[in-house]
Amino acid sequence: MKNFCFIVSHFYSGSSELIEILNQNSRCEFKSGIDDNVYDHPDVLNPIINQKNKIFGDQVLKNYNLPCKRFYDFSKFIYVIRSPRGTFADFFEMQKKDANQNIEKFSDYYRFRLRRICEMAKKTKSGLILNWEDLKSKKAFPLVEEYLEIKLNYNYNNNFNSKPTSFENETLIRQANKSYEKYHYFLKNLNQRVLNG
């Protein structure tokens, strides 16, 4: 089932924008994670994968979405992460009304999610690891094209511009940044080993 690819990420990472670009290709059919699907057995893919020339996928944003380790052996994986400053700014901007009330809960989610992404990446036989800066600079897209063996139209897309925000909780940013730096360092080294074979 190499024509199924999980986009493993966290909220406000750029993975949703990546999926929009992927779905511009008629061979791609990626879900955006809204359905909150749980992949607890490989058989759940049977009704999804019905055309050999298509690439199917789903966005995984929560730890419980992918509990079955058997997927690591035969699926493709693209991991997308983003530093906390931009992530929290977008969360704050999108949540507006309840952002101050929920920001600490979101910070916990972000840090635990980074850890889980690293755990998954370590177990995956092959995968591609990207961050927001890779997507914004378009450096990521040739790698995605090669990994999925498709062509993408990404030159028109300007969705990776950071938006101004009034979020200024430096304590939370510093706390989350410690996790990001640690896990990002691990993922960069892991990615280099994968790219070098």
Side-chain angles (χ1 to χ4, degrees):
M1 298 183 197
K2 285 289 187 183
N3 59 335
F4 196 92
C5 179
F6 290 103
I7 308 291
V8 180
S9 191
H10 56 80
F11 288 106
Y12 310 108
S13 65
S15 57
S16 296
E17 290 83 352
L18 172 60
I19 286 171
E20 285 179 24
I21 292 170
L22 286 167
N23 283 336
Q24 293 293 319
N25 185 306
S26 59
R27 286 186 57 213
C28 293
E29 194 172 313
F30 280 78
K31 297 180 181 179
S32 64
I34 295 172
D35 294 336
D36 206 21
N37 293 317
V38 176
Y39 294 89
D40 54 3
H41 191 279
D43 286 350
V44 301
L45 297 186
N46 291 340
I48 301 169
I49 299 175
N50 52 21
Q51 298 177 53
K52 290 183 179 177
N53 65 331
K54 292 202 77 165
I55 300 167
F56 297 87
D58 201 352
Q59 183 184 36
V60 175
L61 298 170
K62 299 172 185 172
N63 291 349
Y64 64 76
N65 289 137
L66 189 54
C68 179
K69 296 176 182 176
R70 289 169 62 186
F71 285 102
Y72 299 154
D73 295 328
F74 58 79
S75 301
K76 292 195 172 186
F77 287 83
I78 297 176
Y79 298 93
V80 183
I81 64 170
R82 186 183 184 187
S83 65
R85 190 168 297 279
T87 302
F88 284 34
D90 279 2
F91 168 83
F92 197 79
E93 184 65 22
M94 294 297 291
Q95 300 295 319
K96 291 194 190 233
K97 183 180 177 184
D98 300 316
N100 283 318
Q101 181 181 343
N102 295 326
I103 191 65
E104 289 195 22
K105 189 183 293 184
F106 181 77
S107 178
D108 290 341
Y109 157 82
Y110 174 80
R111 289 181 288 110
F112 285 116
R113 187 69 188 137
L114 286 177
R115 185 173 75 182
R116 179 64 177 147
I117 288 169
C118 282
E119 289 170 353
M120 289 182 66
K122 191 174 181 181
K123 295 172 184 173
T124 306
K125 285 190 172 180
S126 69
L128 187 60
I129 300 163
L130 309 171
N131 62 36
W132 173 272
E133 287 73 26
D134 297 328
L135 294 166
K136 184 176 181 180
S137 68
K138 299 184 169 65
K139 184 174 75 173
F141 297 111
L143 299 173
V144 174
E145 289 179 320
E146 182 179 354
Y147 184 59
L148 297 180
E149 299 178 352
I150 55 172
K151 291 299 291 180
L152 297 174
N153 178 16
Y154 52 85
N155 289 318
Y156 74 94
N157 194 285
N158 293 314
N159 288 346
F160 300 103
N161 293 323
S162 300
K163 303 170 184 69
T165 179
S166 56
F167 178 71
E168 297 175 354
N169 190 325
E170 290 298 322
T171 302
L172 278 183
I173 291 288
R174 280 196 304 272
Q175 185 183 47
N177 205 51
K178 286 180 183 177
S179 293
Y180 176 78
E181 287 177 357
K182 177 174 71 172
Y183 294 123
H184 187 223
Y185 177 80
F186 169 82
L187 288 168
K188 275 199 306 185
N189 289 332
L190 186 64
N191 205 31
Q192 203 56 46
R193 292 199 297 273
V194 170
L195 291 173
N196 291 337

